[in-house]
Amino acid sequence: YLRKEEAMAPIMKPAAGDVTQGTVSAFAALLVTYLVAIAAVKLYPNLVRNDLGGIVRTARTIESAQIRGFGLVVFAVLEEVVWRGAVTTALEPRVGSARAPFVASALFVAAVIPSFHPSLILAAVTLGIGSAFLVKRTRRIVPACIMHAAFTWFLVEMVLRLLVDRLNR
């Protein structure tokens, strides 16, 4: 769709500051996600334990950290190309270019809801908001790709482990 609409090249063109914007946004989203998760651990420890247990088991099925990391990054970039690239571009004529990234992010969250994993839904919400702001501000998806990849990698490789350790205390 993006190639047909000739929209791929402009939204995928890297620019100075993309890595900084993506990384800072990823850490802001991680902080929000972590703080909400800590509150959930205190309020609903059994629900969080069951939810995170399933996610950790799934994430750890790939034992090689390098392959897992590569897969997380590729998956994150592909999701951004679809949601903040193709879906946003398709929505722009209907809802306008200012609202399209947010509508696409809402659809992204709606696509995660059937997983019935509150942790994934929380991550989708924080990630969707952050990447929508980046796409709206830059009119490109490269910073959002960097944000999504960094957020997902740090979440799976570090934050989940911290939360599980906190639950096991």
Side-chain angles (χ1 to χ4, degrees), residues 7-19 21-22 80 84-85 88-89 92 101 130-146:
M8 188 69 152
I11 65 171
M12 289 297 291
K13 185 177 182 188
D18 283 352
V19 173
Q21 290 180 75
E80 290 305 315
R84 260 57 72 180
T88 298
T89 301
E92 284 178 347
S131 61
F133 274 112
L134 285 173
V135 169
K136 181 182 179 214
R137 192 171 78 235
T138 66
R139 305 285 302 137
R140 294 173 301 99
I141 63 170
V142 174
C145 289
I146 293 166

Side-chain angles (χ1 to χ4, degrees), residues 110-168:
V112 173
I113 289 173
S115 73
F116 297 113
H117 281 288
S119 303
L120 291 178
I121 296 167
L122 169 63
V125 168
T126 57
L127 192 57
I129 291 169
S131 61
F133 274 112
L134 285 173
V135 169
K136 181 182 179 214
R137 192 171 78 235
T138 66
R139 305 285 302 137
R140 294 173 301 99
I141 63 170
V142 174
C145 289
I146 293 166
M147 176 196 180
H148 194 144
F151 175 89
T152 305
W153 187 84
F154 278 103
L155 190 68
V156 169
E157 296 297 331
M158 295 178 182
V159 175
L160 283 178
R161 189 169 306 154
L162 289 172
L163 291 171
V164 170
D165 288 348
R166 188 177 201 94
L167 281 166
N168 292 331

Side-chain angles (χ1 to χ4, degrees), residues 7 27 63 72 80 87 99 115 123 131 150 162:
F27 283 108
E63 291 183 28
L72 291 170
E80 290 305 315
V87 173
R99 290 191 302 178
S115 73
S131 61
L162 289 172

